[in-house]
Amino acid sequence: NAGVTQTPKFRVLKTGQSMTLLCAQDMNHEYMYWYRQDPGMGLRLIHYSVGEGTTAKGEVPDGYNVSRLKKQNFLLGLESAAPSQTSVYFCASSYSAGVHGYTFGSGTRLTVV
Amino acid sequence: KNQVEQSPQSLIILEGKNCTLQCNYTVSPFSNLRWYKQDTGRGPVSLTIMTFSENTKSNGRYTATLDADTKQSSLHITASQLSDSASYICVVSGQAGTALIFGKGTTLSVSS
């Protein structure tokens, strides 16, 4: 049981380049989330999805887009990367929005130069 | 404003000693409070989840307490081990369906 798998683990981008981060979960969870973690700050929600084909904005959605074409996958896209998007990105999934634990991936460390 | 404040920011203890981490929150209405452990370079892993009606929940050497009246929680680690060195994050959930509010975490270092 792999849980939540994120690819890639590391990436360096030049300002203005685009990329897609992939998150895959094998737990049949309905809910999936993308967070970013910056030094000295708590995790902040970028976008989330409550089911296949649905997406919604979180606390810091600007500069990012997402898609949930399949239940098990949640993609995070950066169309034109900026240095302010240098961060560690975590994907998470959960059975519901209630009292269920989130399962986090191991993160993607992105540097934009 | 919904906030989660953790203290101390960092802590160093000797192996075998106990320690207590604090979490104060202003999230209202309150649904549940979670403690996560995050090892360096890894994603957070859930330790405990407590609803407003629960006062204490244990997970091995980790014991979380919750006082919903004062909006305070603590995580007590007993007989610390080197592997306990990590960041411990307090997370509060408001009404079902609302986003989780993450604290900044307490960095614990256990030395031999």
Side-chain angles (χ1 to χ4, degrees):
Chain A
N1 190 340
V4 176
T5 302
Q6 291 184 233
T7 53
K9 295 187 184 302
F10 304 92
R11 185 72 185 271
V12 177
L13 284 180
K14 293 183 178 180
T15 298
Q17 286 185 319
S18 64
M19 78 163 295
T20 300
L21 282 66
L22 172 63
C23 176
Q25 53 96 2
D26 61 1
M27 297 169 287
N28 202 35
H29 284 169
E30 290 291 336
Y31 289 66
M32 296 188 74
Y33 314 84
W34 276 107
Y35 287 90
R36 61 178 288 173
Q37 186 174 40
D38 300 295
M41 302 185 72
L43 274 77
R44 292 182 293 168
L45 182 64
I46 304 171
H47 285 280
Y48 65 99
S49 168
V50 301
E52 181 179 319
T54 74
T55 63
K57 294 180 179 180
E59 179 185 359
V60 288
D62 294 342
Y64 305 95
N65 57 76
V66 289
S67 64
R68 184 103 180 263
L69 299 180
K70 294 183 179 181
K71 185 177 184 178
Q72 63 267 36
N73 295 336
F74 195 30
L75 279 62
L76 177 71
L78 287 73
E79 292 187 346
S80 179
S84 61
Q85 294 178 304
T86 294
S87 186
V88 181
Y89 292 85
F90 287 99
C91 176
S93 71
S94 66
Y95 177 72
S96 73
V99 191
H100 292 97
Y102 283 27
T103 301
F104 282 85
S106 58
T108 295
R109 183 173 294 276
L110 174 66
T111 302
V112 182
V113 297
Chain B
K1 181 180 179 182
N2 289 329
Q3 288 185 316
V4 176
E5 300 288 341
Q6 293 187 243
S7 62
Q9 184 175 357
S10 62
L11 182 63
I12 302 173
I13 62 173
L14 290 175
E15 185 178 15
K17 298 296 185 181
N18 303 334
C19 67
T20 300
L21 313 180
Q22 301 290 341
C23 174
N24 297 335
Y25 61 93
T26 60
V27 179
S28 181
F30 168 81
S31 175
N32 59 79
L33 185 145
R34 310 157 188 236
W35 283 94
Y36 283 85
K37 178 187 180 188
Q38 184 176 20
D39 293 315
T40 300
R42 309 289 295 176
V45 174
S46 180
L47 293 175
T48 63
I49 301 175
M50 291 183 292
T51 64
F52 65 91
S53 62
E54 297 176 290
N55 300 119
T56 302
K57 183 161 281 190
S58 293
N59 179 357
R61 294 180 296 102
Y62 301 100
T63 299
T65 65
L66 173 64
D67 185 335
D69 291 331
T70 62
K71 294 183 168 49
Q72 295 180 325
S73 176
S74 65
L75 180 69
H76 186 73
I77 303 174
T78 303
S80 61
Q81 300 175 359
L82 295 178
S83 59
D84 292 331
S85 295
S87 177
Y88 292 84
I89 304 172
C90 177
V91 186
V92 178
S93 175
Q95 285 181 325
T98 60
L100 302 182
I101 310 295
F102 286 76
K104 296 179 181 179
T106 291
T107 300
L108 174 65
S109 298
V110 180
S111 60
S112 57

